[in-house]
């Protein structure tokens, strides 16, 4: 028998007898490593005559391949045995009670935004967004508030010290209304959107925080009139407060971006906690509570957004989400909304499983 055959047989025997992965690795080095015995035989091939090489070559290569295959196969066996041993010892007792896991809650603002989206998407609206860092043109000018417009002063705007590349003054948006402009410019007409998001004003007390949340609504189509506005808001408020007896009061008002403008009030009572109630705000023990601003979109705004106001009309509204949450779920200090106090969140927060749906109700229990 040639040396190659002998080495092969010896290697295969020892590989089969290897006790563990370490012993196997030692054998691999001994036979197939750089200084290994089979490797040394391979090196002798170069010095052989062609005839010798033709006879010895296949034997030596065969020894190398057989040893390498045997090592791989034995390694697999070890790994399989190790896994089986692990599976046999590691058991999981599924009858044990689940450990206490710290669990977060859904913030009432997020919950109310989800409720609003659920209601309006059902009415055929899409949800739109815009940047919180806005330019002066989208936040004011295009909404019919020219530079000298007195309404600008009422917004307590946070301005940035620098202008953008085009020389626009930059600011933190003071309302979600600039999303009206962005959506009309980008999508044209007709459209139906709500735009929820954060807005910023330099203002702070029990009912005002420098950051708060609004939802803007915008409908642009042909032949839209105040009746569409009233029906839409009434349908929304009935769904949101889950009562059919909600009565709206539309009061004439003024916003530069709507003409005519209305403020919308609902009946409200302080008895048994502040609550929106059914019926008229003039009834015994009731008052009117202002909920939102709205109106027919001013022709000038439609024009500035690049649409023809003779063809397209629309209505819009803006409402405070935090305020709506307070009215529905009975909190009375807005500042606590943004303190991140786990006790407040534990009390007023919602379970992630409380998804608002129209069929199961948009009024999850806190
Ligand atoms: N943007 C107004 C604000 O923040 C709210 C508002 C009023 C929005 C009337 C509207 C609207 O779209 O039609 O005070």
């Amino acid at each position: 028998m040639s040396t190659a055959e002998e080495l092969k047989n010896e290697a295969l025997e020892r590989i089969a007898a290897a006790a563990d992965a370490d012993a196997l690795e030692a054998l691999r080095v001994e036979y197939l490593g750089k200084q290994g015995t089979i490797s040394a035989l391979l090196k002798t091939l170069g010095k052989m005559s062609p005839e010798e090489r033709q006879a010895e070559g296949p034997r030596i290569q065969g020894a190398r391949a057989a040893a390498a295959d045997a090592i791989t196969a034995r390694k697999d066996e070890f790994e399989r045995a190790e896994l089986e041993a692990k599976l046999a010892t590691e058991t999981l007792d599924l009858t044990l009670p689940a450990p206490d896991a710290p669990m977060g809650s859904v913030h009432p603002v997020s919950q109310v935004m989800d409720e609003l989206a659920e209601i309006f998407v059902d009415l055929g609206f899409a949800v739109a967004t815009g940047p919180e860092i806005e330019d002066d043109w989208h936040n004011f000018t295009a909404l019919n508030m020219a530079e000298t417009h007195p309404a600008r002063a009422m917004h307590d705007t946070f301005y940035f010290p620098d202008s953008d590349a085009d020389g626009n003054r930059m600011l933190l948006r003071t309302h979600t209304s600039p999303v009206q402009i962005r959506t009309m410019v980008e999508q044209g007409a007709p459209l139906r959107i709500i735009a929820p998001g954060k807005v910023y004003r330099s203002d702070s007390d029990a009912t005002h925080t420098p950051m708060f949340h609004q939802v803007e609504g915008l409908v642009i189509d042909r032949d839209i009139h105040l009746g569409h506005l009233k029906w839409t808001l009434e349908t929304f408020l009935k769904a949101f407060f889950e009562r059919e007896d909600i009565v709206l009061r539309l009061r004439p008002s003024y916003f530069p971006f709507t003409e005519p403008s209305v403020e919308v009030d609902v009946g409200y009572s302080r008895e048994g906690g502040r609550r929106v109630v059914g019926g008229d705000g003039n009834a015994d023990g009731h008052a009117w509570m202002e909920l939102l601003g709205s109106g027919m979109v001013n022709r000038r705004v439609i024009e500035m957004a690049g649409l023809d106001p003779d063809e397209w009309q629309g209505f819009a509204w803006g409402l405070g989400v935090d305020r709506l949450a307070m009215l529905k779920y009975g909190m009375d200090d807005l500042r606590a909304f943004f303190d991140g106090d786990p006790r407040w969140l534990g009390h007023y927060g919602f379970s992630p499983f409380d998804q608002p749906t129209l069929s199961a109700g948009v009024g999850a229990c806190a």
Side-chain angles (χ1 to χ4, degrees):
M1 222 195 296
S2 80
T3 333
E5 289 291 299
E6 276 169 28
L7 258 183
K8 182 178 94 177
N9 292 341
E10 176 197 303
L12 293 183
E13 233 167 79
R14 292 178 66 195
I15 288 166
D20 55 28
D22 288 342
L24 192 63
E25 174 61 10
L27 289 174
R28 190 192 62 78
V29 173
E30 188 179 330
Y31 290 102
L32 303 175
K34 260 204 192 118
Q35 320 282 337
T37 44
I38 296 183
S39 309
L41 270 188
L42 276 167
K43 282 180 207 151
T44 62
L45 281 175
K47 294 186 196 102
M48 291 179 189
S49 69
E51 296 74 35
E52 264 182 312
R53 195 180 306 135
Q54 213 167 25
E56 274 306 302
R59 288 201 194 102
I60 299 177
Q61 293 291 7
R64 191 200 55 82
D69 290 350
I71 287 173
T72 310
R74 189 86 177 110
K75 207 163 158 189
D76 285 350
E77 270 171 40
F78 286 140
E79 276 169 14
R80 223 173 307 123
E82 196 182 336
L83 181 66
E84 258 155 41
K86 229 179 179 176
L87 287 175
T89 52
E90 279 180 17
T91 54
L92 202 59
D93 184 353
L94 295 174
T95 63
L96 280 175
D100 269 349
M103 202 175 68
S105 59
V106 176
H107 195 285
V109 169
S110 305
Q111 182 76 15
V112 166
M113 288 207 183
D114 287 350
E115 291 172 15
L116 295 173
E118 179 68 19
I119 294 167
F120 279 107
V121 165
D122 188 59
L123 291 174
F125 286 66
V127 178
T129 55
E132 288 169 30
I133 296 175
E134 248 315 350
D135 59 61
D136 185 274
W137 188 80
H138 287 94
N139 195 80
F140 291 127
T141 312
L143 287 160
N144 197 30
M145 284 187 265
E147 230 128 286
T148 50
H149 200 289
R152 282 199 180 202
M154 286 159 53
H155 276 223
D156 300 309
T157 313
F158 287 114
Y159 283 99
F160 286 91
D162 299 321
S163 303
D164 75 356
D166 301 323
N168 287 314
R169 225 175 152 191
M170 301 304 286
L171 45 84
L172 290 176
R173 67 177 180 193
T174 57
H175 51 179
T176 42
S177 302
V179 185
Q180 288 188 27
I181 305 298
R182 288 185 176 276
T183 317
M184 280 190 272
V185 169
E186 278 160 29
Q187 296 178 16
L191 59 84
R192 275 181 273 187
I193 53 132
I194 60 165
K198 291 183 164 65
V199 300
Y200 302 84
R201 291 185 201 179
S202 170
D203 203 354
S204 188
D205 59 36
T207 52
H208 298 89
T209 47
M211 183 281 297
F212 58 104
H213 299 86
Q214 289 188 334
V215 166
E216 194 78 12
L218 175 67
V219 169
I220 299 283
D221 211 326
R222 295 186 173 90
D223 305 320
I224 296 290
H225 54 74
L226 210 58
H228 294 116
L229 181 160
K230 188 172 184 216
W231 181 89
T232 305
L233 293 179
E234 202 168 78
T235 303
F236 146 57
L237 289 169
K238 283 178 177 172
F240 181 75
F241 287 109
E242 296 188 294
R243 28 191 331 157
E244 273 303 304
D245 54 356
I246 297 268
V247 175
L248 301 195
R249 178 172 78 170
L250 268 52
R251 251 180 318 110
S253 182
Y254 173 76
F255 300 103
F257 28 91
T258 45
E259 180 59 35
S261 303
V262 290
E263 269 170 306
V264 178
D265 304 339
V266 291
Y268 161 84
S269 165
R270 281 171 197 272
E271 280 161 33
R274 298 155 186 250
R275 291 281 162 188
V276 164
V277 292
D280 195 291
N282 293 323
D284 256 3
H286 288 188
W288 288 108
M289 162 66 78
E290 181 196 322
L291 268 192
L292 54 93
S294 76
M296 302 306 294
V297 181
N298 194 309
R299 297 176 55 88
R300 291 174 54 86
V301 172
I302 294 183
E303 222 163 43
M304 267 184 285
L307 299 174
D308 176 2
D310 289 326
E311 186 179 2
W312 302 105
Q313 301 78 44
F315 63 89
W317 74 90
L319 59 83
V321 176
D322 316 278
R323 192 137 158 215
L324 219 52
M326 290 167 91
L327 273 175
K328 186 164 176 179
Y329 295 114
M331 310 84 162
D332 55 12
D333 191 337
L334 180 62
R335 286 168 298 197
F337 273 57
F338 310 119
D339 284 344
D341 183 334
R343 290 164 300 181
W344 189 91
L345 291 166
H347 182 77
Y348 288 112
F350 293 84
S351 157
F353 299 112
D354 249 335
Q355 296 282 337
T357 63
L358 287 177
S359 51
V362 290
C365 344

